Amino acid sequence: MQYFVQQLINGLTLGSIYGLIAIGYTMVYGIIGMINFAHGDIFMVGAFSALIVFLILGALFYSVPVVIALLVMMIVAMLLTSLYNWTIEKVAYRPLRGSFRLAPLITAIGMSIALSNFVQVTQGPRNKPIPPMVSQVYNINGVSVSLKQIIIVIVTALLLALFWYLVNKTSLGRAQRACEQDRKMAALLGIDVDRTISITFIMGAALAAVAGTLFLMYYGVIAFSDGFTPGVKAFTAAVLGGIGSLPGAVLGGLLIGFIESMWSAYFSIDYKDVAAFSILAIVLIFLPSGILGRPEVEKV
């Protein structure tokens, strides 16, 4: 039982990171019906931004409290990734918004490759490690819970609550939901659709940057290729939970994290990705719109 609970905690931690990335996928898809496949690389850029800030802080100051260092890393990473995503949306996606459906998808894949290669050229192809930022571990009845795991879960819960409030209780959220239902009618009613979509991309990038910072803190290493696999798994989580639903994105992320953790613990770690995608296929057979997703209503 202690081993089982330990794997639950590990899965909760990993799933929280996936859930933060998945929210970006589900927000963009909910408004413009597009899968931003460059989102995983935005997550990777956020992790590298946090790494650079950490190195600068270490070079300028002899000692910086961990809380302050993490906050500065998150804020700078959020600003940089928001700028990247805003630029990508304005330059690469907006001109293709009225084009055929495959054009934005192909462009998103191209932007993903461009970001990955840009980081590879500027930062090098090798893994970039950092010293442990948080090393406290608490032992509770034979179960080890590290402080960094607690931080990840708390930050995920707070951000989910904040974004749920923004989407459901603010004028920006009403504009986003109006654009999701009918962009033309929203524009006729005075909503700035382009501005709303740009803000949505910025919000998704900020969450990806937080996830990248937490990923760097948790694993202590990052590489230019680390955007692809977490990005695909986060997209899987968004689809599993019901793409277009914020709680569904986090729920899907947690499920993917639990599946990977349990499969690695009780079966073969080599097939944990196969297990996650197999569960996705099984769920979608019986729930095509995902666990919390709403079935699409075709407009006539």
Side-chain angles (χ1 to χ4, degrees), residues 184-297:
K184 289 184 179 179
M185 182 57 69
L188 290 173
L189 293 174
I191 295 173
D192 191 337
V193 175
D194 288 338
R195 176 175 171 271
T196 302
I197 293 174
S198 294
I199 292 175
T200 303
F201 271 84
I202 289 172
M203 292 167 65
L207 283 174
V210 173
T213 305
L214 296 176
F215 181 91
L216 179 68
M217 177 196 70
Y218 188 62
Y219 290 104
V221 65
I222 189 70
F224 78 95
S225 58
D226 283 343
F228 177 75
T229 301
V232 171
K233 290 180 180 177
F235 169 64
T236 304
V239 175
L240 179 61
I243 196 159
S245 168
L246 294 186
V250 177
L251 175 62
L254 293 176
L255 288 175
I256 295 293
F258 288 141
I259 292 168
E260 284 194 13
S261 179
M262 292 299 174
W263 191 273
S264 301
Y266 293 102
F267 300 100
S268 172
I269 193 172
D270 297 328
Y271 295 99
K272 61 184 177 67
D273 295 339
V274 176
F277 290 115
S278 299
I279 295 295
L280 170 68
I282 294 170
V283 170
L284 291 183
I285 289 173
F286 298 100
L287 295 171
S289 57
I291 298 173
L292 298 181
R294 298 180 299 239
E296 285 192 15
V297 178

Side-chain angles (χ1 to χ4, degrees), residues 9-24:
I9 294 172
N10 295 339
L12 178 64
T13 305
L14 184 60
S16 297
I17 295 175
Y18 289 154
L20 284 177
I21 309 172
I23 291 176

Side-chain angles (χ1 to χ4, degrees), residues 19-51:
L20 284 177
I21 309 172
I23 291 176
Y25 279 110
T26 203
M27 289 181 70
V28 171
Y29 182 84
I31 291 182
I32 62 176
M34 171 195 165
I35 302 298
N36 180 18
F37 276 114
H39 192 65
D41 294 278
I42 290 292
F43 154 81
M44 178 267 297
V45 169
F48 266 99
S49 302
L51 170 65

